[in-house]
Amino acid sequence: MRWRLWRSYALQPGVDAVDVLILALRLVFVALLYVFVALVLRMAYGATRPRVTQQLNLRVVEPGASSLQPGEVLAIGAGSTLGRSSRADVVLADTAVSAEHARVDRVGRRWIVTDLGSTNGTRVNDAAISGRAALNPGDVLSIGPVRLEVVAR
């Protein structure tokens, strides 16, 4: 039906090609205006979304017997393991820390710590975890006597 209206408008006596061209340009202009508004809204939405960090920052609160210094900030990547052995991505040289004590992963926008069957356990905010637990800014992750605070980027 719309094509008939357009066709009848275009074929009316007294309607010349200039009028049709002006109508087409108006329609193109309106379409471009909508595209522009959509792009501006998309950019504004992207600017207000929280940024997803690729690293988890942990500040050393208590180093235990490890070589870490209090206040030192460790940047941990997704899939990193924490433990006493040299195979671990973050070495915590303390006898109370298991060889591969825990792993830090990223699931969507959240950081998750998983206890890898350690002898002395893994704690988040002094609560022992079995399996996995979420990490949020301000949480304290305890790997044996080593205490690490999750720092917002």
Side-chain angles (χ1 to χ4, degrees):
M1 178 164 169
R2 292 181 187 202
W3 172 249
R4 288 182 190 163
L5 289 175
W6 170 263
R7 197 169 154 206
S8 66
Y9 176 76
L11 298 177
Q12 284 182 358
V15 176
D16 58 357
V18 173
D19 290 337
V20 173
L21 180 64
I22 291 173
L23 177 63
L25 289 175
R26 284 182 179 176
L27 292 174
V28 168
F29 177 74
V30 169
L32 288 175
L33 187 61
Y34 276 110
V35 168
F36 175 75
V37 169
L39 289 174
V40 167
L41 290 174
R42 183 177 177 192
M43 286 178 20
Y45 174 72
T48 59
R49 281 192 344 212
R51 296 284 176 217
V52 178
T53 59
Q54 300 301 321
Q55 295 180 349
L56 177 66
N57 293 324
L58 299 174
R59 186 176 68 229
V60 177
V61 177
E62 292 178 25
S66 71
S67 61
L68 300 174
Q69 299 299 316
E72 180 180 354
V73 177
L74 307 171
I76 310 290
S80 296
T81 56
L82 295 93
R84 186 181 68 237
S85 79
S86 60
R87 292 187 318 262
D89 298 310
V90 178
V91 177
L92 305 172
D94 189 300
T95 56
V97 175
S98 296
E100 289 185 351
H101 198 101
R103 182 178 59 245
V104 176
D105 288 306
R106 180 136 174 189
V107 178
R109 294 181 164 225
R110 303 204 58 164
W111 288 95
I112 305 292
V113 63
T114 305
D115 183 73
L116 299 176
S118 62
T119 304
N120 293 321
T122 303
R123 295 180 308 281
V124 175
N125 296 329
D126 292 327
I129 65 166
S130 58
R132 300 167 32 150
L135 292 174
N136 298 305
D139 286 349
V140 176
L141 172 64
S142 298
I143 308 287
V146 180
R147 295 173 44 93
L148 307 165
E149 181 185 5
V150 178
V151 180
R153 192 169 172 135

